[in-house]
Amino acid sequence: MIFRIILIIILSLILIFVCFFFVGFPKPKKDIKWGVVFSQKHAQKLGLDWKENYLALLDDLKVERIKVATYWDLLEPEKDNFAFEDLDWQIEEAEKKGAKLLLVIGMKTPRWPECHIPDWAEKLSEEEQKEEVLNLIKEIVLRYKKEDVIWAWQIENEPFFQFGECPWYDEKFLGKEVDLVKSLDSFKKPVLISESGEFSFWFKAAKLGDIVGTTIYRRVWSKELKTYFYHIFPPTYYSRKAKLINWLFGKKVICVEMQAEPWGPTLLYSSPLKEQKKSMDLQKFKDNLKFAKKTDLKEMYLWGVEWWYWMKEVQNDSKIWDEAKKLF
């Protein structure tokens, strides 16, 4: 009898869970604030002039929101010798065009290998690396905290998701990074912490950040299964999780990476075009935009603007670039 009661309770809880997160159809949003993620490194690895790519998204696409990835190895190629010229340029050009930037700072920032450690820091101990990361963050925040064009700091990229070539993960250290930024930034720009959209309920990010950032990737290559994988999560899954975060923590959730480029068995810049189209083409791009509008999230940063530009300039295929124009 007791076993049956316990079983009924467990099944009831599972049913409630499934209904809450998987049942329902949020009304598509029409007033989404669209942005893009930009990576200087990724544009270069695609063989592009990264400055031309950046100017094109400002001048041609008319993008007003950009998530800009910073890289430790580019900013500090030698210990205590900082090279801010490229980042200065990106910030100045965005300001000229009236765009707003979400600046990603730390050791783990977007694009492979995720952790962008300069050669001189590779052989340091974990504790020494942590001190250097804090020093890097200090230099960035003190340099740019007065810039109105930067509306928020994203500290690390999916710091709770152990993906990429990273020497260590330390949630307590992330707290130190957040505390440091808040102590240095007298202008009180919000701090954003990002988490995996599919495999997390975002509680850790909500505890540390002023804003929660999620990612959404719908068709990716699984190296374990050796095939492409479509995730099973409906738009409601993201919508209800966002509502839960708002109820429990009073925090806003935005999408900081919405898949809009291929994810195949090899890195994009070494993948044949035929393979690329298996995970992203114009129709999949449109489908992902429809999906995004149903998540009930009000701000979306599309992942893949460098690839759209590569398709347009190198492959003479501007269909996705032209479709994206309609958003901005």
Side-chain angles (χ1 to χ4, degrees), residues 238-304:
Y238 302 91
S239 172
R240 298 282 168 78
K241 285 203 297 182
K243 284 182 170 60
L244 187 63
I245 291 299
N246 186 257
W247 291 339
L248 294 177
F249 300 94
K251 305 289 177 67
K252 178 175 70 172
V253 178
I254 69 174
C255 179
V256 293
E257 292 178 18
M258 176 72 209
Q259 184 184 9
E261 74 170 20
W263 183 329
T266 61
L267 293 172
L268 183 55
Y269 34 84
S270 59
S271 175
L273 188 58
K274 183 178 179 181
E275 188 68 39
Q276 294 179 23
K277 291 182 177 181
K278 292 179 182 179
S279 55
M280 186 58 59
D281 56 20
L282 180 60
Q283 188 56 53
K284 293 182 182 68
F285 179 78
K286 291 180 178 180
D287 290 344
N288 279 6
L289 295 182
K290 290 178 182 178
F291 184 95
K293 292 174 182 178
K294 294 178 182 179
T295 62
D296 205 32
L297 301 180
K298 297 179 180 179
E299 192 163 343
M300 288 269 172
Y301 289 80
L302 297 171
W303 177 266

Side-chain angles (χ1 to χ4, degrees), residues 91 94-95 98-102 143-153 185 187 189:
I91 291 170
E95 187 172 26
K100 292 292 184 181
L101 303 182
L102 169 60
R143 186 178 185 87
Y144 299 119
K145 66 179 182 179
K146 295 181 181 179
E147 301 289 348
D148 291 335
V149 65
I150 299 171
W151 74 269
W153 312 104
D185 183 9
F187 292 82
K189 300 181 193 297

Side-chain angles (χ1 to χ4, degrees), residues 52-295:
E52 287 183 3
N53 190 176
Y54 190 78
L55 290 175
L57 66 91
L58 286 169
D59 296 332
D60 193 18
L61 288 184
K62 307 295 184 183
V63 172
E64 295 182 351
R65 293 172 179 81
I66 310 171
K67 171 179 164 178
V68 171
T70 69
Y71 297 108
W72 184 11
D73 56 346
L74 295 186
L75 291 177
E76 194 180 4
E78 299 176 359
K79 180 176 167 55
D80 297 327
N81 182 16
F82 292 92
F84 284 109
E85 295 81 8
D86 288 347
L87 185 54
D88 284 347
W89 183 86
Q90 291 175 73
I91 291 170
E92 289 166 5
E93 291 300 320
E95 187 172 26
K96 288 178 187 177
K97 306 300 165 56
K100 292 292 184 181
L101 303 182
L102 169 60
L103 204 63
V104 191
I105 59 178
M107 179 178 73
K108 188 173 188 276
T109 55
R111 296 296 180 182
W112 193 261
E114 301 291 316
C115 288
H116 302 267
I117 303 171
D119 292 339
W120 62 265
E122 288 278 3
K123 297 179 181 179
L124 298 179
S125 68
E126 179 178 330
E127 291 307 313
E128 289 172 328
Q129 286 182 343
K130 288 176 179 176
E131 286 302 315
E132 295 297 342
V133 171
L134 292 176
N135 185 55
L136 170 72
I137 289 174
K138 178 181 177 181
E139 292 289 333
I140 294 173
V141 174
L142 290 179
R143 186 178 185 87
Y144 299 119
K145 66 179 182 179
K146 295 181 181 179
E147 301 289 348
D148 291 335
V149 65
I150 299 171
W151 74 269
W153 312 104
Q154 179 179 323
I155 302 178
E156 305 293 343
N157 193 55
E158 293 184 302
F160 309 114
F161 186 35
Q162 296 192 16
F163 173 75
E165 296 177 354
C166 297
W168 44 266
Y169 292 84
D170 188 337
E171 294 179 18
K172 290 183 178 179
F173 178 70
L174 179 63
K176 289 184 179 181
E177 291 176 286
V178 172
D179 290 342
L180 176 62
V181 170
K182 288 182 174 293
S183 70
L184 294 172
D185 183 9
S186 54
F187 292 82
K188 308 299 180 185
K189 300 181 193 297
V191 165
L192 183 147
I193 304 296
S194 65
E195 287 206 57
S196 166
E198 292 71 47
F199 306 111
S200 166
F201 282 94
W202 311 332
F203 291 168
K204 291 179 180 180
K207 289 177 182 177
L208 279 175
D210 302 309
I211 301 171
V212 174
T214 184
T215 62
I216 302 176
Y217 287 89
R218 301 191 64 215
R219 182 171 173 80
V220 301
W221 176 264
S222 169
K223 64 180 181 180
E224 291 80 16
L225 300 176
K226 299 188 184 305
T227 188
Y228 285 97
F229 175 76
Y230 256 123
H231 78 52
I232 62 172
F233 306 102
T236 304
Y237 178 71
Y238 302 91
S239 172
R240 298 282 168 78
K241 285 203 297 182
K243 284 182 170 60
L244 187 63
I245 291 299
N246 186 257
W247 291 339
L248 294 177
F249 300 94
K251 305 289 177 67
K252 178 175 70 172
V253 178
I254 69 174
C255 179
V256 293
E257 292 178 18
M258 176 72 209
Q259 184 184 9
E261 74 170 20
W263 183 329
T266 61
L267 293 172
L268 183 55
Y269 34 84
S270 59
S271 175
L273 188 58
K274 183 178 179 181
E275 188 68 39
Q276 294 179 23
K277 291 182 177 181
K278 292 179 182 179
S279 55
M280 186 58 59
D281 56 20
L282 180 60
Q283 188 56 53
K284 293 182 182 68
F285 179 78
K286 291 180 178 180
D287 290 344
N288 279 6
L289 295 182
K290 290 178 182 178
F291 184 95
K293 292 174 182 178
K294 294 178 182 179
T295 62

